């Protein structure tokens, strides 16, 4: 049975199969396009003219072109253009390497928005690294997902053919799973590509392919040799629905306050929980005496082997050493003393002991040497050990009512407590109630590996992002238990362990001893090797005369075992010598791992333990976690709830009808489908609007500033789409003005600065540049530094927040608006300034697109291509252009220009706030006076002096603005006597204030009212009384606003003053809080001054 995995034709080992060829369309595509650059399919570079931003059109064609160009593979040419000597991985060894695995999604279906978050974060890091000239390999893969995949296919078989896997047999059933995998696996790949994930598909893997199978086998054998893998008979967590054991961390606990009826998989009727039953055991030989015991699982009394009392309990001292009689089986059960199990003050002080089906009872049974007898079959029905033919083959939950009925008839039932609080253990995979069972399993001894992982974290060999994650890391590893790694499944890596099955098993036991358990077991790479080992074993013990056959363990390994080896196995490690002559792959260790906090222990800790032990190196240094994605209401996403979001639905849009149809034909019960569809109608009454991959990616990455949980509100995606549209409109403005002034683009893949721009910063003087030019170049320099710092610190949300503010607030709202009058002017000075202004715009827009590319790859490529000169190479791409660096732009940092511009912008904003406060439209001019106590602002080169023309234009000033130098005034009032006594005022800074006479305000309002009346709007203009009434209303409004500002200040102060604020709140969020406080204080000061003026006018 040959399978195509990645670009190789491979045969899965350890699985029975046939020689039929099965090729999926995706496998054929990979085989055709991923073997070498020369074999890549030719794809024409997209080129189109679009008038408006259309996500579907913009995002089509680019991914296929990038892939065809080989951009996703590790670089083989350095950024300087010189050809390096490729290493065995195909990359230039002179370049910095960056290697990262994506958490392999389960092959069981399709990606949800949580996977999209992971892909978006990782791709932003990968694209940033690639643009910095590093040799990047982001390795994709798919997990065989043992339990999940087998369950899905089993349900499909039952639904479509009314067959179980046992009806088909192991070989045929596994064939069915492979067919299903090839049918559905391609959808996940297409979803990742639609998101724009720039993965190195040439290195893609499947955790059941040949290389990974060899790696799993080698790792198991090595761990066995190192005495870390062992077999033992213990109490395990058994899932009857799946008929397999699960590990401790796959068990979920549900707190129950009292009686409740809950659904259990495979049962139509709900099951009662939260009830404590009391029943009596009669003392053997004396029917007048009895011991009353309590239990929440009365069905387990069929497996009782003793009744325990406390040695200090005077009520029962006379019964110690005696026996009770089991009311159903008739067995004599000893009365034992056990101070560890029994609490004198709980219940009756007597405890039933079921060693084979309860963890505490199991420990008690081991202490007292009680029989440990399993009374249940793997499907949860009673076996012949239950002591009564009546209960044999009866389901464990059906037996509850029957046992209560039988005990009542025997006069031994003593009632029940329906308000008993308890914790119910459930399987996280199926939702079934866990049944503790005793059976032999394979385990990994974890304590020594855990200690190494703890030390590596302490010594910073492992670095956590956020650093608070180390607390959970330490807590779990310090209390780690041995890991049960065997699963009773057919789909997965079959355990490479073999044993001889003798026709006379007692003969072998006599020679091997009781310690052999269900063995003896022999770990080997193949059946042949196992037969040799067993033959030697038989000969050494003189058992040649006994007939036997060699059988392999039927169980498979926990899926997380193979996943835990991926930092090694995904790079080609098999435990044997590689073609390079090394045992450890050259790109090992990888650079980092990024994943959700929910699999810190399932996956990350196990990768660290296993790979460190096998290679003596940690598998990565940086460990980055993101929070769980929930819906807008904060609910966990679940198919049964109906709030799981497929990222392609957000990208391409989907109607409510089609959205509801996605739930049909799957494995959900009809009742769950109906409930889920009802929820969809509430959450998405109009379906989901198409927003594009860029918007979804940007919204998801931006949301990672929330470290606890991410509530995905689709309005945030819409907001991100509007932001992308802002970029589009800026491009339209750029192209239009480009043609108007006949500017020749000088955009290249290497430099960000427009050609010729350096000449304007000779000696750092920015000679001839206006304030707004110096400001925007300084803001660009700061933005580049912050974006790179955010990415280096693995805080991509810092980068997205910084970029959004720079592009919208600095570039679009300030620089573009400030240069428009010059660009549209035909005077001599403007004509001279236009080329320089445009070079600055080109530099800022070019840099913005490059910095945005890791987050919005499609629209940035589309717009950047439009900036390229006609002479640019046909394979030029923003994806492999140089990312803006601090080295290139540091010299443009100009804090003085930023400070001066902040004052000018403050004055403009103050004028608009005054207008808004008094409801004066922008169409009406107002006389303004600017007072300052800082004379330097009015001196040559000062902020107010440089920005005179800007201020007059953007404040819509009537005539020239009056400037008062309060520092040089001689009126004794710092120049305030020159200001009309009844003036509206807005405090820009403590040193700068903006005034306008209230009379002029009232005149402008009246003029606007007359204008409105002439246009058909009925507005009262009665004169003085109307004006006074208007002023009183305005005063009341401002008083309310002042109260709201003060309430916001109090709320912010309360949040900041909390003890955990510094520890839990990220630094960039604290910086936002500081700025918010400054803004609120400025608003408060302005409102106080304005209300004071209004009150004086009304007095």
């Amino acid at each position: 049975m040959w399978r195509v995995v990645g670009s190789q034709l491979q045969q899965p080992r350890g699985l029975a199969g046939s020689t039929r060829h099965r090729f999926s369309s995706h496998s054929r595509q990979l085989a055709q396009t991923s073997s070498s650059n020369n074999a890549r399919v030719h794809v024409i570079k997209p080129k189109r003219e679009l008038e408006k931003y259309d996500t579907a059109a913009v995002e089509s064609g680019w991914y296929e072109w990038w892939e065809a160009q080989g951009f996703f593979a590790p670089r083989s040419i350095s950024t300087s253009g010189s050809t390096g000597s490729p290493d065995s991985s195909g990359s230039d060894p002179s370049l910095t390497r960056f290697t990262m695995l994506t958490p392999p999604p389960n092959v069981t279906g399709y990606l949800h928005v949580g996977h999209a978050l992971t892909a978006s974060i990782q791709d932003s890091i990968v694209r940033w690294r690639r643009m910095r000239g590093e040799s990047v390999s982001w390795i994709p893969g798919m997990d065989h997902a043992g339990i999940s995949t087998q369950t899905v296919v089993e349900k499909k078989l039952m639904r479509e053919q009314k067959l179980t896997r046992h009806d088909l047999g192991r070989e045929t059933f596994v064939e069915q799973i492979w067919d299903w995998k090839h049918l559905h696996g391609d959808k996940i790949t297409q979803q990742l590509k639609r998101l724009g994930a720039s993965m190195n598909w040439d290195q893609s893997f499947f955790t059941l392919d040949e290389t990974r199978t060899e790696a799993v086998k080698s790792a198991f054998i090595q761990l066995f040799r190192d005495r870390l893998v062992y077999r033992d008979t213990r109490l395990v967590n058994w899932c009857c629905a799946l008929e397999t054991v699960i590990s401790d961390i796959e068990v979920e606990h549900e707190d129950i306050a009292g009686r409740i009826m809950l659904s259990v998989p495979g049962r139509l009727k709900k099951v009662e929980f939260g009830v404590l039953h009391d029943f009596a055991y009669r003392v053997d030989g004396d029917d007048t005496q009895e011991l009353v015991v309590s239990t929440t699982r009365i069905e387990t009394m069929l497996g009782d082997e003793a009744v325990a009392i406390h040695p200090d309990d005077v009520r029962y001292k006379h019964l110690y050493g005696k026996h009770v009689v089991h009311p159903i089986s008739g067995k004599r059960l000893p009365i034992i003393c056990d101070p560890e199990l029994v609490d004198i003050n709980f219940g009756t002080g007597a405890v039933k002991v079921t060693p084979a089906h309860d963890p505490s009872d199991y420990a008690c049974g081991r202490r007292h040497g009680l029989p440990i007898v399993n009374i249940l079959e793997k499907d949860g029905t009673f076996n012949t050990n239950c002591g009564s033919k009546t209960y044999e083959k009866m389901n464990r939950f059906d037996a509850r009512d029957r046992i209560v009925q039988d005990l009542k008839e025997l006069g031994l039932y003593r009632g029940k407590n329906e308000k008993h609080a308890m914790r119910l253990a459930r399987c996280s995979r199926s939702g079934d109630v866990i049944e503790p069972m005793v059976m032999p399993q394979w385990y990994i001894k974890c304590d020594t590996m855990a200690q190494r992982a703890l030390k590596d974290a302490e010594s910073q060999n492992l670095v956590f992002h956020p650093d608070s994650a180390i607390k959970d890391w330490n807590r779990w590893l310090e209390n780690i238990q041995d890991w049960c790694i065997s699963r009773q499944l057919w789909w997965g890596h079959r355990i490479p362990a073999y044993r001889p099955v003798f026709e006379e098993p007692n003969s072998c036991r006599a020679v091997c001893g009781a310690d052999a358990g269900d063995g003896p077991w022999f770990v080997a790479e193949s059946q042949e090797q196992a037969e040799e080992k067993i033959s030697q074993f038989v000969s050494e013990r003189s058992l040649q005369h006994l007939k036997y056959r060699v059988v392999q363990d039927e169980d498979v390994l926990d899926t997380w075992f193979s996943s835990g080896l991926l930092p090694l196995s995904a790079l080609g490690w098999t435990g044997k010598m590689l073609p390079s002559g090394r045992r450890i792959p050259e790109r090992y260790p990888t650079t980092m791992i990024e994943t959700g906090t929910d699999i810190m222990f399932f996956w990350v800790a196990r990768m660290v333990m296993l790979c460190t032990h096998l290679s003596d190196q940690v598998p990565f240094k940086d460990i980055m976690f993101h929070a769980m994605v929930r819906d807008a209401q904060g609910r966990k996403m679940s198919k049964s709830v109906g709030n799981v979001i497929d990222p392609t639905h957000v990208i391409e849009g989907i109607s409510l009808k089609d959205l509801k149809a996605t739930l049909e034909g799957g494995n959900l019960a009809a009742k769950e489908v109906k409930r889920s569809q009802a929820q969809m109608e509430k959450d998405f009454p109009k379906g989901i609007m198409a927003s594009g991959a860029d918007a979804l990616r940007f919204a998801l990455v931006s949301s990672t500033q929330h470290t606890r949980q991410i509530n995905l509100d689709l309005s945030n995606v819409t907001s991100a789409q509007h932001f992308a549209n802002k970029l589009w409109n800026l491009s339209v403005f750029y192209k239009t003005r480009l043609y108007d002034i006949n500017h020749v683009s000088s955009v290249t893949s290497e430099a960000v600065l427009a050609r010729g721009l350096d000449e304007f910063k000779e000696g750092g003087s920015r000679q001839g540049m206006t304030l707004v030019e110096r400001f925007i170049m300084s803001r660009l320099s700061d933005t580049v530094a912050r974006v790179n710092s955010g990415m280096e610190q693995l805080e991509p949300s810092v980068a997205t927040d910084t970029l959004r503010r720079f592009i919208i607030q600095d570039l679009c709202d300030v620089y573009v608006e400030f240069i428009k009058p010059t660009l549209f002017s035909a005077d001599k000075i403007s004509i001279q300034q236009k080329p320089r202004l445009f070079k600055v715009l080109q530099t800022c827009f070019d840099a913005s697109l490059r910095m945005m590319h890791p987050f919005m790859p499609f629209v940035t490529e589309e717009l950047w291509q439009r900036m390229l000169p006609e002479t640019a190479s046909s394979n030029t791409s923003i994806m492999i252009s140089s990312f803006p660096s601090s080295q290139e732009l540091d010299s443009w940092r100009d804090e003085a220009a930023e400070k001066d511009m902040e004052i000018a912008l403050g004055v403009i904003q103050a004028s608009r706030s005054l207008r808004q406060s008094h409801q004066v439209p922008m169409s009406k001019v107002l006389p303004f006076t600017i007072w300052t106590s800082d004379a330097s602002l009015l001196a040559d080169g000062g902020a107010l002096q440089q920005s005179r023309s800007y201020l007059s234009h953007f404040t819509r000033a009537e005539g020239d603005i009056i400037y008062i130098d309060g520092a040089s005034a001689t009126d004794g009032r710092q120049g305030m006597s020159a200001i009309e006594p009844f003036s509206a005022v807005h405090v820009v800074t403590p040193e700068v204030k903006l005034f306008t006479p209230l009379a002029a305000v009232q005149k402008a309002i009246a003029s606007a009212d007359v204008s409105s009346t002439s246009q058909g709007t009925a507005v009262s203009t009665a004169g003085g009384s109307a004006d006074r009434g208007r002023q009183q209303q305005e005063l009341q409004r401002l008083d309310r606003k002042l109260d709201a500002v003060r309430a916001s200040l109090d709320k912010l102060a309360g949040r900041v003053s909390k003890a955990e604020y510094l520890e839990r709140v990220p630094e960039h969020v604290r910086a936002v809080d500081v700025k918010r406080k400054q803004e609120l204080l400025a608003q408060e000061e302005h409102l106080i001054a304005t209300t004071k003026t209004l009150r004086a006018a009304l007095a």
Side-chain angles (χ1 to χ4, degrees), residues 210-237:
E210 184 178 27
T211 301
R212 265 46 66 176
T213 298
E214 287 295 324
V216 167
K217 187 185 299 181
S218 295
F220 183 92
I221 293 172
Q222 184 60 52
L223 291 168
F224 182 81
R225 289 171 181 165
D226 295 340
R227 298 183 181 277
L228 293 176
V229 163
Y230 64 94
R231 189 169 176 85
D232 194 14
T233 299
R234 295 182 179 179
L235 198 70
V236 297
N237 305 304

Side-chain angles (χ1 to χ4, degrees), residues 33-202:
T33 63
S34 63
S35 58
S36 70
N37 288 344
N38 293 332
R40 294 185 186 278
V41 175
H42 177 68
V43 176
I44 298 174
K45 186 177 185 178
K47 188 173 183 180
R48 55 213 159 203
E49 291 297 330
L50 301 173
E51 293 184 3
K52 294 182 179 180
Y53 178 47
D54 181 339
T55 59
V58 167
E59 294 177 2
S60 66
W62 287 119
Y63 194 95
E64 293 77 10
W65 182 72
W66 291 329
E67 190 174 14
Q69 294 298 311
F71 292 156
F72 300 160
R75 289 178 96 113
S76 58
I77 300 177
S78 66
T79 53
S80 63
S82 61
T83 302
S85 175
D87 60 19
S88 62
S89 63
S91 63
D92 186 341
S94 66
L95 300 176
T96 300
R97 286 175 175 171
F98 178 85
T99 307
M100 180 171 63
L101 302 175
T102 184
N106 291 349
V107 72
T108 48
Y110 57 87
L111 303 183
H112 54 67
V113 77
H115 296 107
L117 172 64
T118 300
S120 299
I121 294 172
Q122 292 190 354
D123 197 37
S124 69
I125 296 170
V126 162
R127 287 178 182 270
W128 172 71
R129 292 271 190 171
R130 191 182 287 118
M131 292 175 73
R132 285 178 20 132
E134 299 180 20
S135 174
V136 173
S137 183
W138 181 23
I139 303 174
M142 215 174 293
D143 197 295
H144 65 277
I147 291 177
S148 300
T149 306
Q150 180 165 313
T151 301
V152 167
V153 177
E154 282 194 89
K155 289 183 177 179
K156 180 175 179 289
L157 274 174
M158 179 54 65
R159 183 177 65 252
E160 296 178 358
Q161 302 179 41
K162 303 301 180 185
L163 294 174
T164 69
R165 61 183 166 116
H166 300 286
D167 295 327
L168 295 182
R170 184 167 191 154
E171 180 178 339
T172 305
F173 177 70
V174 169
E175 275 284 306
Q176 292 268 346
I177 300 180
W178 275 107
D179 290 340
W180 187 91
K181 182 263 180 189
H182 285 308
L183 183 64
H184 294 275
D186 186 50
K187 182 174 181 180
I188 293 174
T189 302
Q190 295 309 315
Q191 284 180 298
L192 288 169
K193 290 184 175 184
R194 187 63 186 87
L195 274 166
S198 56
M199 295 172 169
N200 184 6
W201 296 106
D202 293 0

Side-chain angles (χ1 to χ4, degrees), residues 882-901:
S882 296
F883 198 85
S885 67
S886 295
Q887 289 85 346
E888 186 177 8
L889 290 159
D890 261 352
S891 60
W892 288 91
R893 191 68 192 274
D894 190 338
E895 293 184 5
E898 289 193 43
K899 185 177 180 181
D900 290 348
M901 197 67 193

Side-chain angles (χ1 to χ4, degrees), residues 316-601:
Y316 305 126
K317 274 194 172 183
H318 65 289
L319 296 177
Y320 178 62
K322 295 187 177 182
H323 291 74
V324 294
V325 178
H326 196 286
I328 292 176
S329 68
K331 286 197 304 184
R332 294 175 73 247
L333 309 180
I335 300 172
I336 60 176
C337 290
D338 194 310
E340 293 184 42
L341 181 67
V342 181
D343 180 354
I344 294 178
N345 300 314
F346 180 77
T348 63
V351 178
K352 61 186 285 295
V353 183
T354 318
H357 296 282
D358 182 89
S360 299
D361 293 3
Y362 176 75
C364 173
R366 295 287 291 265
R367 287 193 296 270
H368 294 273
L370 297 175
I372 298 176
V373 181
N374 183 13
I375 59 172
L376 290 170
E377 298 289 354
K378 294 179 179 180
D379 62 357
T381 58
F382 284 98
N383 61 26
T384 56
N385 296 328
C386 70
S388 172
K389 290 287 186 181
T390 303
Y391 293 97
E392 288 182 22
K393 297 184 180 180
M394 185 181 293
N395 182 274
R396 53 182 172 155
F397 296 122
D398 291 332
R400 287 186 172 184
D401 293 337
R402 181 60 185 270
I403 289 174
V404 170
Q405 180 183 339
D406 287 352
L407 289 173
K408 284 180 178 179
E409 292 176 358
L410 293 169
L412 297 175
Y413 189 71
R414 298 291 180 262
K416 62 181 178 180
N417 174 10
E418 295 189 349
K419 297 182 179 180
H420 179 69
M422 62 177 289
R423 298 194 80 198
L424 186 65
R426 287 206 186 223
C427 172
S428 61
R429 304 283 189 173
S430 68
D432 197 11
V433 177
I434 291 297
E435 186 62 54
M437 285 196 191
V438 174
M439 57 180 62
Q441 299 290 323
W442 292 96
Y443 293 86
I444 292 182
K445 185 176 174 62
C446 294
D447 53 356
T448 56
M449 291 191 292
Q451 287 302 312
R452 172 76 183 266
L454 286 166
K455 289 178 182 177
D456 281 327
E458 184 181 4
S459 62
Q460 296 287 291
N461 288 332
L462 297 170
V463 180
F464 295 87
H465 309 268
D467 55 11
S468 58
I470 196 171
K471 293 181 179 179
D472 291 329
W473 180 266
N474 291 342
R475 175 180 53 79
W476 189 73
L477 288 175
E478 287 168 356
N479 297 281
I480 197 168
Q481 302 294 316
D482 286 357
W483 173 17
C484 178
I485 56 172
S486 45
R487 299 290 180 268
Q488 291 62 51
L489 304 171
W490 289 355
W491 174 247
H493 294 279
R494 195 162 171 184
I495 296 174
Y498 304 80
R499 67 187 178 97
V501 178
F502 291 87
E503 290 185 1
E504 296 292 337
N506 292 333
S507 300
C508 178
R509 184 171 295 276
V511 176
C512 302
D515 292 341
D518 63 338
W521 288 94
F522 299 83
V523 172
E525 292 188 3
S526 65
Q527 179 87 14
E528 293 76 19
Q529 190 182 97
E531 288 174 354
E532 290 179 11
K533 289 185 175 184
I534 293 171
S535 177
Q536 183 179 353
F537 169 84
V538 168
S539 298
E540 290 173 352
R541 286 158 179 75
S542 301
L543 301 175
Q544 298 94 323
H545 61 285
L546 297 177
K547 293 183 179 180
Y548 67 88
R549 55 190 175 88
V550 176
V551 297
Q552 185 177 357
D553 194 337
E554 293 285 327
D555 293 350
V556 300
L557 287 164
D558 182 1
T559 302
W560 292 109
F561 183 85
S562 56
S563 298
L565 299 172
L566 284 175
L568 283 166
S569 65
L571 298 176
W573 180 87
T574 61
K576 300 176 178 62
M577 196 68 71
L578 296 169
S580 62
R582 300 161 53 104
R583 287 188 179 274
I584 303 300
E586 291 187 43
R587 293 189 77 102
Y588 184 89
T590 62
T591 311
M592 63 171 289
I593 198 71
E594 193 284 330
T595 189
T597 54
D598 55 319
I599 55 175
M600 177 189 290
F601 309 121

